[in-house]
Every structure is written in C-alpha cells, then in structure tokens.
Amino acid sequence: MAGGALNFAPPPIFSPFSRRTIIPKTVRFAIRASSQSPDASASVKSKEGEEKQQGSLTFAPPPNFKAPEPKRFGVRPDKALDILGASLALFFRFGTGVFASGYSVSLVPKDEFPPGQYALDVSDYKVKETSKLGPRPEKPIEIYEFESCPFCRKVREMVAVLDIDVLFYPCPRNGPNFRPKALQMGGKQQFPYMVDPNTGVSMYESDDIIKYLAEKYGDGSVPITLSLGLLTTITAGLALVGRSGKGSIYSPAKLPPKPLEIWAYEGSPFCKYVREVLVELELPHIQRSCARGSAKRQILYEKVGHFQVPYLQDPNTGVEMFESAEIVEYLKATYANQ
C-alpha cells in the first residue's frame, strides 16, 4: 500500500464481453460538416430554405434571468417525482452508464491529497476515481436519436462507458429538422443513426454502433450489460417506464444557430430530465460525457470550482448554469414557441 492509499477493484458489472467484432467501414454520403472540433460551434441548420430565417433569429436569456446557485444532492420538491421516475433506469439497467470503462477508486488520506483536485470526501479520506480509456475521437461522434427509444439508450450508455463526446441531433416524433435529415442521409427513418466524422463511417443498428465504438474508441470489449441481446433491449425499455414516454414527441421550438453544450452522463437521473427537454425541443447539443471516473470531471472542476451535472453552456445566449429544474425552465423560456 503506497502513500497510504487503499485500492479497490471496480465492480463486476462491466465485465467485458468476450466476442470482439470489427465493423467494416462504409463511406457516408450527403452529410454536411457539423463540427470542426469538440470545441467548435456546429451548424445546425437542416434545410436550405430555412437558413436565412434561422440566421435572422437572435436569442437572449429570459427577462431578469439569473443563473441559480448549485445545490449538491438537492432535489426541488416540485420535481421529486420526475427525478424518482428517471432514477428507475438505474435499477433496470444495473447502473450501466454510471461508470467509465476501467473504473477504479482509491482512498487517499486528506492530508496526502494534492489541492485543486476533484475527489469525493469520505470521513478523513478523499475518494480518487480513475478510468482506463481508449483513443479519443478528434471530432464529436454525431448521433441522430431520441430519448425514449430503448435502442438509443443502449448507445448512449456505451457513450458514457467510453467517455466520448457526442453531438446529438434529436429526432423526436414529428420533428421537422433532423428526422428528415437522417432519412436523407441514411435512407431510412430508423434510430439511432451514427455518423463518425473522424472515419467517414455511418451506420444504423444499436448493437453494430456499440461494437464499432468499442473497437474504435475502447479496448474492443462491450460491457456484459450491453451484450445480452433481447434481455438488454427489454431492460433498456423498462428503464424508460418511469418517465412515460418523455423525450419522444416534438414540441414546437426555435432552432438555434449553434448547438448547446451539456456536461452530463447517461446514468444520472438529473441529466436525463434535462435531456428529455432538449430532445422534445429538437435542440442539437454536444454532450461532454463525464461518468464516474472521467477525467473531464477534473476539467469542469477547474472551470467552475466544483463538479456537478448537468451543467449547461449555451453559446447562443452566453448562459452557463447548473440545476436540472432551472435548466429545463430556461430551455423552455428561451427556445419553445410561445
């Protein structure tokens, strides 16, 4: 035991699936350049005839808006049932999407822990969380999907496990922008649909997408909870029961010129609550994945002085804020058609 640290092995929930499958690359077509880098602002105009109209729109925070102070581990009383319903997914999916690949923890005495580092406090110790990740994509993976789809959830869980950033194009039912775009690009209205701008690969089928991501941006292994075929799909469907189809139907909204950015991960019920509204309003967003063990937790910690998710950054208005309930209210006030 070096430096007074106690090391614990990760839980067996993410035991690798033994079969390794490499998905052949296929050339994508008719796709616009949606992101230049993880930090670049992507164009989100989907129809040539709408570009002039969208370009004339300006966005500003709601009148008298003030970002709320973050409240760690707090649930606003009027949103308790929403968060409880979103939390059911953790039970049905055995925590998949909570931990990054290769997750491990170490207990380090507080007096030996370097200052300015993110960690949890437990009595006289700091809990240091780490992960073992594969190659990082230079540009965000692009995924067309919607929140209340069990097949889409499976892919989002793998995104959290691999700790990769994704530019999500929401495709709620009756959505006028990205459902038609996905059909134009891939030839089918089927979700999820993935485009990897780093390799030119595009594909349907959740299991194929998961295996592709594992081979390209992981160690090739797929968590056992994502490798059980029909059982995985059934439990992913049950995980959505607590929210009764939220995040599936389009609510008329104004399309912003730049995608929003959300620091989040699939296993968090607070993040799920916000994602439902992002999808319903058809708001493209770059997700900065930060499951437990992610090094991006340290990045956010350095940026704002502590870590908490969801954390929203809106380049269209300059707003940056915590607190899921208030984020939802902000999104509706700013982008929903009144």
Side-chain angles (χ1 to χ4, degrees):
M1 181 169 66
L6 301 177
N7 295 318
F8 295 86
I13 184 172
F14 294 114
S15 301
F17 180 54
S18 59
R19 185 177 66 177
R20 297 177 58 159
T21 305
I22 299 177
I23 304 300
K25 293 184 179 181
T26 57
V27 179
R28 61 178 175 145
F29 57 90
I31 182 167
R32 56 189 160 71
S34 57
S35 57
Q36 299 301 319
S37 71
D39 296 313
S41 294
S43 170
V44 296
K45 305 178 182 68
S46 64
K47 297 180 181 178
E48 186 174 327
E50 292 177 349
E51 290 183 357
K52 184 175 180 180
Q53 176 185 359
Q54 293 296 338
S56 65
L57 290 177
T58 58
F59 295 90
N64 303 316
F65 173 82
K66 182 180 179 182
E69 292 295 324
K71 308 175 187 66
R72 296 196 66 184
F73 307 116
V75 179
R76 214 169 75 178
D78 62 322
K79 302 300 179 184
L81 290 178
D82 292 309
I83 300 303
L84 178 62
S87 300
L88 290 179
L90 295 173
F91 171 76
F92 287 114
R93 291 298 298 134
F94 311 104
T96 312
V98 173
F99 303 100
S101 180
Y103 176 81
S104 64
V105 297
S106 297
L107 292 181
V108 181
K110 284 185 177 180
D111 57 1
E112 299 179 15
F113 197 80
Q117 297 293 308
Y118 164 74
L120 298 176
D121 290 311
V122 177
S123 185
D124 295 328
Y125 292 88
K126 290 280 191 177
V127 180
K128 183 177 181 179
E129 303 172 289
T130 59
S131 58
K132 295 180 180 179
L133 303 173
R136 304 291 81 194
E138 181 181 348
K139 301 174 184 178
I141 308 300
E142 300 174 11
I143 300 180
Y144 294 73
E145 55 88 56
F146 60 99
E147 181 68 23
S148 62
C149 164
F151 303 99
C152 300
R153 180 181 175 89
K154 289 162 54 180
V155 171
R156 294 195 304 267
E157 289 177 349
M158 192 62 181
V159 164
V161 170
L162 296 176
D163 194 42
I164 55 179
D165 292 347
V166 170
L167 174 52
F168 282 112
Y169 287 107
C171 299
R173 192 183 313 153
N174 302 323
N177 296 295
F178 303 118
R179 276 199 173 224
K181 186 65 177 180
L183 176 62
Q184 174 192 345
M185 293 192 321
K188 294 188 289 186
Q189 242 186 35
Q190 177 180 317
F191 304 98
Y193 177 64
M194 183 211 74
V195 176
D196 186 346
N198 304 284
T199 63
V201 169
S202 60
M203 64 176 64
Y204 292 101
E205 299 298 338
S206 57
D207 289 341
D208 290 343
I209 293 172
I210 287 169
K211 292 170 187 174
Y212 169 81
L213 294 175
E215 291 288 345
K216 190 67 181 176
Y217 301 112
D219 62 3
S221 62
V222 176
I224 193 168
T225 50
L226 285 168
S227 305
L228 300 176
L230 181 60
L231 181 59
T232 296
T233 302
I234 290 173
T235 56
L238 290 173
L240 305 172
V241 169
R243 295 300 292 143
S244 303
K246 296 289 186 181
S248 64
I249 301 176
Y250 175 65
S251 179
K254 299 178 286 290
L255 186 66
K258 301 176 183 177
L260 284 66
E261 298 187 26
I262 185 86
W263 297 69
Y265 63 103
E266 185 64 19
S268 166
F270 299 95
C271 298
K272 176 174 174 55
Y273 179 57
V274 171
R275 272 255 320 157
E276 289 170 352
V277 176
L278 286 168
V279 170
E280 290 172 352
L281 297 178
E282 209 185 21
L283 298 176
H285 52 283
I286 297 176
Q287 178 175 297
R288 306 295 183 189
S289 298
C290 48
R292 304 214 70 91
S294 170
K296 278 173 276 188
R297 293 191 167 217
Q298 177 65 30
I299 296 173
L300 185 58
Y301 180 86
E302 293 174 356
K303 178 180 175 64
V304 297
H306 65 283
F307 176 83
Q308 180 178 320
V309 291
Y311 179 67
L312 177 72
Q313 295 176 277
D314 188 344
N316 303 288
T317 63
V319 165
E320 300 186 0
M321 62 186 299
F322 293 101
E323 295 301 320
S324 57
E326 283 79 2
I327 290 174
V328 165
E329 292 172 348
Y330 163 81
L331 293 174
K332 291 181 177 179
T334 304
Y335 294 106
N337 287 341
Q338 304 297 327

